[in-house]
Amino acid sequence: MKFFFSYIFILLSLLHGLCSHAFAAPGDPLPIRDMYPLTNMHLSTVPHSAQLLNAGQHGMSSRFLWATTNAIRAPYVIDAETRELRFGWSYGLSDDREISIEWPLVYRGGGTLDSFIESWHDFWGLPNGRRGRVSKDSFEIQGSTKNGEEFAMHNDGVGSGNTQVSFSQRLFTSLEEKFLLNLEARLSLPTSSSSLGHAGVDSSLGLTASLNTPPWYVHIGVAGLRIGDNEISHVRYALWRYETFASIVYLFEHFSLASSLTYTSEVVTNIAEHPNYTSFLDVGGSIPLSDALALELGIREEIVSGNGSQDIGFLIGLEYRPD
């Protein structure tokens, strides 16, 4: 992971030479999502700040995430690649209230990253784990549950994901907005027309706090989530779970570096030997392309919960957010 962080730092430094704009919304963490094939159709929490748009302002975003998973244990094989192109729009209802809508286009299949990852591991002398037990760039999601029932997800391809609607309410603002606290509610609606989404309505309620002391920015969030469709293809999901994140951002003159830790309690409940939590480390940064438009680059790596989460994921995004 230290190599990824170094490369992103070098790339952002080079881009800095091509751009001299200031950030419109400085100090935001990277909003990298859960892309694990068994769970990415459901609502999840992403690192974010408590900064809201002013009344009447509009914000837009477009983000592409690309992740690979090779989770192999005796009871199951999860070998797949997931990609997501997510579009977002947000609006400041007032200086203390914001609403946003997101819609994703999702791909799930064998992908193309296996050879690259194995070559990367070989170059740095890292182990390939159990990747040799399945064919390269194959698509396989199958196994057995705790009661011996077989499960499988055979549907690959491209399809619409579920639309997400969010509402944020400012609860507290300190002098000069150095400390911000928001209450946030989110819904994931059953709008998907493909097997890559979920039925029912997922929902969450949480708190996000931001401490803004330039050039350092710290963000912490916690949320409780309820799954509306808690069984898909014989895979059962926890009806209730919680997620939390902690992010730190350092703002240079014309680019930022960000790192986040994310923890999720048990999501999949009925697969034998499946981990009962997930945890990730995100690293990356952003650079302003104009006074309101920023380019985001990031990488997500699992840090503890092996064989129950994505291996590695990549983010490239554009966010328009006026000052």
Side-chain angles (χ1 to χ4, degrees):
M1 182 55 65
K2 64 181 180 181
F3 304 113
F4 296 141
F5 193 88
S6 299
Y7 293 154
I8 288 178
F9 181 86
I10 292 170
L11 178 59
L12 290 170
S13 298
L14 292 174
L15 288 172
H16 161 253
L18 303 176
C19 183
S20 59
H21 296 280
F23 278 98
D28 283 1
L30 295 170
I32 303 181
R33 310 186 67 82
D34 172 28
M35 296 292 284
Y36 184 47
L38 288 185
T39 59
N40 75 308
M41 72 285 290
H42 281 297
L43 183 65
S44 63
T45 300
V46 300
H48 60 281
S49 78
Q51 188 68 49
L52 301 179
L53 291 170
N54 294 327
Q57 287 186 331
H58 297 263
M60 293 180 290
S61 63
S62 176
R63 296 183 174 98
F64 178 69
L65 292 108
W66 189 354
T68 181
T69 300
N70 184 261
I72 302 175
R73 289 192 176 182
Y76 62 88
V77 174
I78 313 295
D79 184 38
E81 197 168 288
T82 48
R83 305 169 194 164
E84 178 185 277
L85 180 60
R86 179 173 290 262
F87 301 96
W89 173 84
S90 53
Y91 178 72
L93 298 172
S94 69
D95 290 346
D96 295 325
R97 297 181 183 89
E98 181 177 306
I99 189 171
S100 64
I101 300 174
E102 296 181 359
W103 175 81
L105 184 65
V106 182
Y107 163 86
R108 183 169 65 197
T112 58
L113 284 177
D114 284 351
S115 296
F116 166 77
I117 290 175
E118 290 180 13
S119 298
W120 179 268
H121 287 173
D122 292 341
F123 180 80
W124 294 108
L126 301 173
N128 279 315
R130 302 177 182 179
R131 285 185 169 272
R133 298 189 183 183
V134 294
S135 301
K136 288 184 179 179
D137 301 326
S138 63
F139 174 71
E140 185 176 358
I141 302 177
Q142 59 85 23
S144 59
T145 63
K146 293 177 180 178
N147 63 8
E149 186 178 25
E150 299 296 318
F151 77 88
M153 293 184 180
H154 299 297
N155 297 317
D156 58 357
V158 179
S160 170
N162 294 91
T163 301
Q164 179 178 309
V165 179
S166 304
F167 174 78
S168 298
Q169 170 67 55
R170 176 68 45 76
L171 296 180
F172 178 78
T173 303
S174 70
L175 186 65
E176 298 180 351
E177 296 192 350
K178 288 189 175 181
F179 179 77
L180 307 172
L181 178 65
N182 292 351
L183 176 67
E184 299 168 344
R186 291 179 297 146
L187 297 174
S188 182
L189 305 175
T191 57
S192 174
S193 59
S194 71
S195 61
L196 303 177
H198 63 77
V201 177
D202 293 354
S203 57
S204 75
L205 187 66
L207 295 170
T208 298
S210 293
L211 179 63
N212 304 320
T213 56
W216 294 98
Y217 298 81
V218 178
H219 313 283
I220 298 174
V222 62
L225 295 90
R226 187 184 188 281
I227 299 299
D229 177 19
N230 71 329
E231 183 171 336
I232 299 176
S233 300
H234 302 296
V235 177
R236 290 200 188 99
Y237 301 91
L239 188 62
W240 295 92
R241 75 176 191 274
Y242 74 90
E243 298 182 345
T244 184
F245 70 86
S247 305
I248 187 168
V249 181
Y250 186 85
L251 186 66
F252 292 87
E253 184 178 2
H254 295 300
F255 69 93
S256 68
L257 292 178
S259 181
S260 300
L261 289 171
T262 302
Y263 175 88
T264 301
S265 64
E266 185 176 34
V267 182
V268 176
T269 62
N270 71 326
I271 297 179
E273 298 185 26
H274 196 277
N276 59 5
Y277 69 95
T278 57
S279 56
F280 297 102
L281 172 65
D282 303 340
V283 295
S286 60
I287 183 168
L289 302 180
S290 72
D291 291 339
L293 183 67
L295 171 68
E296 304 164 331
L297 299 170
I299 296 173
R300 165 167 285 192
E301 177 82 31
E302 64 172 358
I303 53 176
V304 178
S305 50
N307 294 320
S309 62
Q310 68 183 55
D311 294 339
I312 189 170
F314 305 91
L315 163 73
I316 180 169
L318 290 172
E319 182 180 36
Y320 171 82
R321 197 169 180 90
D323 189 3

